[in-house]
Amino acid sequence: MIWYKKNSNDDIMVSTRVRLARNVAKYPFPNVMTKQDIDGAKQDIISALENEKAVVGELKFTEMTDTDISERQVLMERHLISSELVEKSNAAVAVSADEELSIMLMEEDHIRIQSIMGGFALKEAYELANKADDAIEKHVEFAFSEKYGYLTACPTNTGTGMRASVMMHLPALTMTGNIDRIIRSASNLGLEVRGLYGEGSKAYGSLYQLSNRITLGLSEEEIIEKLENIAGQIKSREEEAREAIKDKTEVADRLWRSLGTLRYARSLTSREAKTLLSDYILGSSIGIIDEKIKQSPIELMVLTEPANITKIAGGADLSAAERDIKRAEIVRSSV
Amino acid sequence: MIWYKKNSNDDIMVSTRVRLARNVAKYPFPNVMTKQDIDGAKQDIISALENEKAVVGELKFTEMTDTDISERQVLMERHLISSELVEKSNAAVAVSADEELSIMLMEEDHIRIQSIMGGFALKEAYELANKADDAIEKHVEFAFSEKYGYLTACPTNTGTGMRASVMMHLPALTMTGNIDRIIRSASNLGLEVRGLYGEGSKAYGSLYQLSNRITLGLSEEEIIEKLENIAGQIKSREEEAREAIKDKTEVADRLWRSLGTLRYARSLTSREAKTLLSDYILGSSIGIIDEKIKQSPIELMVLTEPANITKIAGGADLSAAERDIKRAEIVRSSV
């Protein structure tokens, strides 16, 4: 099921992602590949996926070079490809119908297997990624060292090649300002907290990605266990923070005003839309807002991203200002 | 008719006020009166008003000393007494049932006859004040000099003793920033532009009072004609400014958001309520907002003033924060 369509009762753990970095042994890393290397490596991987259709399912294959930039951005906004892939014309992606599995080719590594699911599902996501990994490995020899594990373009991924992450919605910790302390402690424990679109992105809408920083020296199971444990602790802190603010008039006032803005604004940036929708989720969760909105707020956060708006508007070449108007229109009809 | 209840088609000219300052010849000015003088002067004026009931109508007489502070503030918020009178315990006011006529005793002068009406009604307001003036003068000798005219405590009022003013709603000139230039030109023409509650008060809700600065050397008719003329010109500037902004998306966005806030906020200061209601008036006027609200926005501006809120809440001793919550509640149920 598409991650943002999952109707989970958990409004803190938004989604879970497991990513495995792999490289084909017989080719150099992407940054030094020739055109011939790239074509060869892609063909090897595509053949492997074709042969393993029974295991990995039917995947939709998209060459970046055949895809216009706004369509690539739509894929990124749905978290199916990385922001790096948007810019890479020789790269490609294979995506399952339910969008839980997406395999990027020629990103930083030859293969990036990603499994993304709604809610908190580290083990399920790991299993799915692992299944795809095993299936490909039947046909392709991965770059692997007995000493270090899987070899990757960037040494931080060497080892299991795994990055597991949980996208958490932490509006109360953001509001109370305690989020900074949480980020520091997670960092001290070897985890990383990033914004919505990974490295360097901001945590708009109070959405944070918690992930393991290093993979070397740890097993997949250890990484997942650690992440699961710390994400659970952060969730408890968020719940405590929600408890602490739920009777404050100024909080009720702010959250209700946000709903008013969602329902009345004639122009909205994607950043503001996320903040307002985040306020709605918080308000509903702590019992301040007793009105329902028509569409899932998380889904709406994705659908109101710039490229998604452009797509909804029929692929028209919208200016940023026109997009903000269209976004407000879509939001009004959805809340 | 109570000025803020008048349902005028004119949403620029909100109300008109004419005030005449008079003093009883046989007593010194209020600032140097003895207790005995004050009682005597009050009695003389009250007797005159009693005798002239057929002309001035039945007036409700309120001694400031018998009236608690919040009730005095209610009178001020309805523009029936000045902010100076709120603080003066020896003073009093006589108000007609329709609140168009209010006569303050022992304010800066012995007598301040005020006529206030909704909309643009300088001549009608002047006639009403004049009628009360003539009626009182039948029984009381006013301090008057052949050379200077009516003598008043403050020399700026000497002459006709008249201050005529128009309360104008100028949101578009405020938004475009042209209001500052307008204020300067009005000042160069001998007029004064003040905020909602006269001298030193801010123009919250884009409400400005335009009035004559001096009375000496001009007849009542000249003062009124001049004010009428300049108010008319300012009104045209406001209309032009509205025309210039009416198709701007950012204006539509701001005005609609204000309506959202009126309908969703859980806490509102009186200042913010005025600004939002002012936005509503503007939005309706220029055809951006096509939704009706239940109560007249001008009336709501008055009813959501602090003392009025306290009165509506049953005279409870509300803190400012509690008042803001109550105000938001009243606004929500009225828009």
Side-chain angles (χ1 to χ4, degrees):
Chain A
M1 182 181 218
I2 297 177
W3 67 271
Y4 55 77
K5 287 192 181 285
K6 182 163 175 190
N7 200 354
S8 152
N9 281 327
D10 187 340
D11 60 23
I12 296 178
M13 305 298 202
V14 175
S15 65
T16 307
R17 187 151 46 155
V18 168
R19 181 267 281 154
L20 301 173
R22 299 289 183 260
N23 288 279
V24 186
K26 65 176 174 178
Y27 298 106
F29 288 135
N31 53 330
V32 288
M33 283 171 111
T34 62
K35 173 83 176 68
Q36 210 178 343
D37 289 336
I38 292 172
D39 291 343
K42 270 193 206 161
Q43 205 38 64
D44 291 355
I45 303 159
I46 293 168
S47 299
L49 292 171
E50 277 291 324
N51 280 314
E52 295 294 325
K53 211 177 267 185
V55 178
V56 298
E58 191 85 53
L59 301 180
K60 187 178 175 225
F61 190 76
T62 307
E63 279 280 5
M64 290 303 116
T65 197
D66 301 338
T67 311
D68 66 43
I69 189 84
S70 69
E71 197 56 41
R72 298 183 207 177
Q73 279 160 344
V74 167
L75 293 171
M76 185 196 81
E77 291 171 359
R78 292 183 177 180
H79 291 203
L80 298 175
I81 66 173
S82 63
S83 55
E84 198 179 326
L85 215 72
V86 173
E87 309 294 336
K88 266 194 140 172
S89 49
N90 277 321
V93 69
V95 180
S96 66
D98 61 9
E99 298 185 6
E100 287 190 348
L101 183 66
S102 77
I103 300 170
M104 288 188 281
L105 310 187
M106 311 303 126
E107 208 245 22
E108 192 180 287
D109 295 293
H110 295 156
I111 307 174
R112 288 275 175 110
I113 301 167
Q114 174 192 271
S115 163
I116 183 168
M117 294 177 179
F120 193 43
L122 274 168
K123 288 191 181 85
E124 295 89 324
Y126 173 62
E127 275 162 27
L128 178 60
N130 201 33
K131 197 167 70 175
D133 181 36
D134 289 347
I136 300 170
E137 204 169 14
K138 278 192 199 160
H139 306 272
V140 171
E141 194 199 337
F142 288 150
F144 185 83
S145 133
E146 284 301 329
K147 189 170 171 195
Y148 298 116
Y150 291 102
L151 301 176
T152 54
C154 175
T156 54
N157 293 315
T158 296
T160 59
M162 180 167 98
R163 185 179 276 269
S165 70
V166 181
M167 184 156 74
M168 303 187 73
H169 181 230
L170 306 173
L173 287 171
T174 306
M175 199 183 272
T176 59
N178 284 329
I179 192 69
D180 295 332
R181 200 173 42 77
I182 300 278
I183 291 176
R184 277 197 305 277
S185 349
S187 175
N188 291 338
L189 293 165
L191 296 183
E192 206 163 56
V193 184
R194 296 169 167 182
L196 192 51
Y197 293 108
E199 222 166 329
S201 68
K202 287 271 176 68
Y204 297 135
S206 299
L207 291 171
Y208 298 84
Q209 281 191 58
L210 180 71
S211 63
N212 61 308
R213 196 164 48 210
I214 46 162
T215 84
L216 194 64
L218 289 173
S219 72
E220 286 88 345
E221 289 71 21
E222 283 168 333
I223 292 170
I224 285 180
E225 200 178 332
K226 188 174 179 178
L227 185 60
E228 199 156 51
N229 184 302
I230 298 175
Q233 288 181 42
I234 296 178
K235 183 181 174 179
S236 301
R237 295 296 87 70
E238 170 67 18
E239 283 166 342
E240 287 161 17
R242 292 186 182 190
E243 195 58 33
I245 60 168
K246 77 180 174 48
D247 297 321
K248 289 188 192 288
T249 302
E250 62 271 29
V251 172
D253 184 47
R254 169 179 152 179
L255 300 180
W256 275 111
R257 281 170 185 246
S258 293
L259 182 58
T261 305
L262 285 169
R263 287 185 170 162
Y264 283 84
R266 258 55 188 173
S267 171
L268 280 174
T269 63
S270 66
R271 178 180 172 168
E272 189 185 10
K274 277 198 203 69
T275 304
L276 298 171
L277 289 164
S278 164
D279 282 351
Y280 174 77
I281 298 172
L282 177 62
S284 297
S285 152
I286 60 182
I288 284 176
I289 296 182
D290 52 5
E291 294 185 21
K292 289 267 168 276
I293 64 174
K294 292 174 213 152
Q295 194 153 12
S296 138
I298 291 289
E299 182 168 3
L300 212 42
M301 283 190 195
V302 176
L303 296 183
T304 55
E305 290 283 12
N308 271 279
I309 290 287
T310 305
K311 193 185 164 89
I312 294 171
D317 198 10
L318 300 179
S319 70
E322 290 165 334
R323 210 159 46 217
D324 290 348
I325 295 171
K326 187 74 194 166
R327 181 178 293 111
E329 213 176 293
I330 290 168
V331 166
R332 281 204 307 284
S333 66
S334 311
V335 298
Chain B
M1 183 180 218
I2 298 177
W3 67 271
Y4 54 77
K5 288 192 181 284
K6 181 161 175 192
N7 200 355
S8 152
N9 281 329
D10 187 340
D11 60 23
I12 296 178
M13 305 298 202
V14 176
S15 65
T16 307
R17 187 153 46 156
V18 169
R19 181 267 282 154
L20 301 173
R22 299 290 183 260
N23 287 280
V24 186
K26 66 174 172 180
Y27 298 106
F29 288 134
N31 54 330
V32 288
M33 284 172 111
T34 62
K35 173 81 175 69
Q36 211 176 344
D37 289 337
I38 291 171
D39 292 343
K42 272 192 205 162
Q43 205 38 64
D44 292 355
I45 303 159
I46 293 167
S47 300
L49 291 171
E50 277 290 324
N51 280 315
E52 295 293 326
K53 212 176 268 186
V55 179
V56 298
E58 191 83 54
L59 301 181
K60 187 179 172 222
F61 190 75
T62 307
E63 280 280 6
M64 291 302 117
T65 196
D66 301 338
T67 310
D68 66 43
I69 189 84
S70 70
E71 196 56 41
R72 298 184 206 176
Q73 281 161 342
V74 167
L75 292 171
M76 184 195 82
E77 291 171 358
R78 292 183 178 183
H79 292 203
L80 298 174
I81 65 173
S82 62
S83 56
E84 199 180 323
L85 215 72
V86 173
E87 308 294 335
K88 266 193 140 172
S89 49
N90 277 322
V93 69
V95 180
S96 66
D98 62 8
E99 297 186 7
E100 287 190 348
L101 183 66
S102 78
I103 301 171
M104 288 188 281
L105 311 186
M106 310 303 127
E107 208 246 23
E108 192 179 287
D109 296 293
H110 295 156
I111 306 174
R112 288 275 175 108
I113 300 167
Q114 174 191 273
S115 164
I116 183 167
M117 295 176 178
F120 193 43
L122 273 167
K123 289 192 180 83
E124 296 88 324
Y126 173 63
E127 275 163 26
L128 177 60
N130 201 32
K131 197 167 70 174
D133 181 36
D134 290 346
I136 300 170
E137 203 168 17
K138 280 192 197 158
H139 307 272
V140 171
E141 195 199 334
F142 288 150
F144 186 83
S145 134
E146 285 300 332
K147 188 169 171 199
Y148 299 116
Y150 290 102
L151 301 177
T152 52
C154 174
T156 54
N157 293 315
T158 296
T160 59
M162 181 168 95
R163 184 178 276 269
S165 69
V166 182
M167 184 156 74
M168 303 187 73
H169 182 230
L170 306 173
L173 287 171
T174 305
M175 199 183 272
T176 59
N178 284 329
I179 191 70
D180 295 332
R181 200 173 43 75
I182 299 278
I183 291 176
R184 277 196 306 276
S185 352
S187 176
N188 292 338
L189 294 164
L191 296 183
E192 206 163 57
V193 184
R194 296 170 167 183
L196 191 52
Y197 293 108
E199 221 166 331
S201 68
K202 288 271 177 68
Y204 297 135
S206 299
L207 291 171
Y208 299 84
Q209 280 191 59
L210 180 72
S211 62
N212 62 309
R213 195 165 48 212
I214 47 162
T215 86
L216 195 63
L218 290 172
S219 71
E220 286 87 344
E221 287 73 20
E222 285 168 332
I223 292 170
I224 285 179
E225 200 178 332
K226 187 173 180 180
L227 185 60
E228 200 156 50
N229 184 301
I230 298 175
Q233 289 182 42
I234 296 178
K235 183 180 174 179
S236 301
R237 295 297 87 69
E238 170 68 17
E239 284 166 342
E240 287 160 18
R242 291 185 183 191
E243 195 57 32
I245 60 169
K246 78 180 174 49
D247 297 320
K248 289 188 192 289
T249 302
E250 62 271 29
V251 172
D253 184 46
R254 169 179 151 177
L255 301 180
W256 275 111
R257 281 170 185 246
S258 293
L259 182 57
T261 304
L262 285 169
R263 288 185 170 162
Y264 283 85
R266 259 55 189 173
S267 172
L268 280 173
T269 63
S270 65
R271 178 180 174 170
E272 189 185 9
K274 277 199 202 68
T275 304
L276 298 171
L277 289 164
S278 164
D279 281 350
Y280 174 77
I281 298 172
L282 177 62
S284 297
S285 153
I286 60 182
I288 284 177
I289 296 183
D290 52 5
E291 292 185 21
K292 289 267 168 276
I293 64 173
K294 292 174 215 155
Q295 194 153 12
S296 137
I298 291 290
E299 181 168 4
L300 211 42
M301 283 190 194
V302 175
L303 297 183
T304 54
E305 290 283 13
N308 271 280
I309 290 287
T310 305
K311 192 185 165 89
I312 294 170
D317 199 9
L318 300 180
S319 69
E322 290 164 334
R323 209 158 47 217
D324 290 348
I325 295 172
K326 186 74 195 166
R327 181 178 294 111
E329 212 177 292
I330 290 168
V331 166
R332 279 203 308 284
S333 66
S334 311
V335 299

